[in-house]
Amino acid sequence: ANPAITARVILLTSFALRMTTWVAPHAWQGTVDATSTATPLALINSGATDELPTYAQMLIGERAGCLGETCIIGLLIGGIYLVAKKVISPIIPVCYIATVFVLSAVLGQDPVMQILSGGLFLGAIFMATDYVTSPITNKGKVIYAIGCGIITVLIRQFASLPEGVSYSILLMNILTPHIENATTPKTFGVGKEAK
């Protein structure tokens, strides 16, 4: 399993309050040191959609959330750089984000807000693409990414947690060996092993 995702899941489980309490954007400009606020996904789950930030605020990171997951433009620039340098393949991030978009729309949610909220871009670009814990075949990458997307949407829509990215990547990491076995092409001319 991806060590960063595993550590994050352990921290989320062990220190839920500390890991889900955020400082409001621009709180430092006020008279108080910091103001606690809810993330966009928590606002959606509580039904307070009138308090949601705009799409533009979501893109530039003017919202509550974990360090590194709020500025979508910055994450996209980093992802494009990694693809251009051939460090990662775009298959997993594109399929993962597209799956969340489509399933959110099917379930009646705002798909744009769902993909811009939470750690989806951070997880899809930088965590789900880990060489050791993700499949190596293109077909395996598609299956893995779609699985991550389905689990993320299911957790966001039907579980008590507002976010499901870390859990979905961890669960699909566990399934990666099985995905590899199912999608690795057989070598031409090699017969089955004798039992």
Side-chain angles (χ1 to χ4, degrees):
N2 182 313
I5 290 289
T6 305
R8 183 178 167 99
V9 167
I10 290 169
L11 289 171
L12 278 169
T13 308
S14 302
F15 307 103
L17 183 63
R18 293 243 187 235
M19 291 289 290
T20 57
T21 303
W22 314 108
V23 176
H26 305 293
W28 57 274
Q29 293 175 338
T31 55
V32 293
D33 289 337
T35 306
S36 178
T37 188
T39 64
L41 286 174
L43 291 170
I44 291 168
N45 282 353
S46 68
T49 55
D50 56 324
E51 298 176 32
L52 285 172
T54 64
Y55 293 155
Q57 289 173 317
M58 299 290 284
L59 283 171
I60 64 171
E62 194 176 328
R63 65 176 176 98
C66 283
L67 180 67
E69 76 178 20
T70 58
C71 184
I72 302 303
I73 291 176
L75 293 169
L76 282 172
I77 291 168
I80 291 167
Y81 176 80
L82 292 175
V83 170
K85 290 292 188 179
K86 298 189 185 326
V87 175
I88 65 170
S89 164
I91 295 171
I92 292 174
V94 169
C95 290
Y96 189 177
I97 294 166
T99 301
V100 171
F101 185 90
V102 170
L103 287 179
S104 296
V106 167
L107 292 172
Q109 297 292 319
D110 178 357
V112 176
M113 188 59 72
Q114 288 293 322
I115 65 169
L116 296 179
S117 302
L120 181 63
F121 275 82
L122 178 67
I125 295 169
F126 297 101
M127 295 182 179
T129 57
D130 179 40
Y131 294 133
V132 178
T133 59
S134 64
I136 56 171
T137 64
N138 287 341
K139 186 189 284 185
K141 289 177 183 180
V142 170
I143 294 168
Y144 173 83
I146 290 172
C148 284
I150 290 169
I151 294 169
T152 297
V153 171
L154 290 175
I155 290 173
R156 285 182 176 186
Q157 298 299 316
F158 303 111
S160 59
L161 296 171
E163 178 65 280
V165 172
S166 297
Y167 295 100
S168 68
I169 295 172
L170 183 60
L171 290 170
M172 291 308 292
N173 284 168
I174 294 167
L175 294 176
T176 295
H178 301 294
I179 295 170
E180 284 293 301
N181 286 337
T183 61
T184 302
K186 305 297 181 242
T187 306
F188 182 72
V190 176
K192 291 185 178 181
E193 281 186 25
K195 291 185 180 184

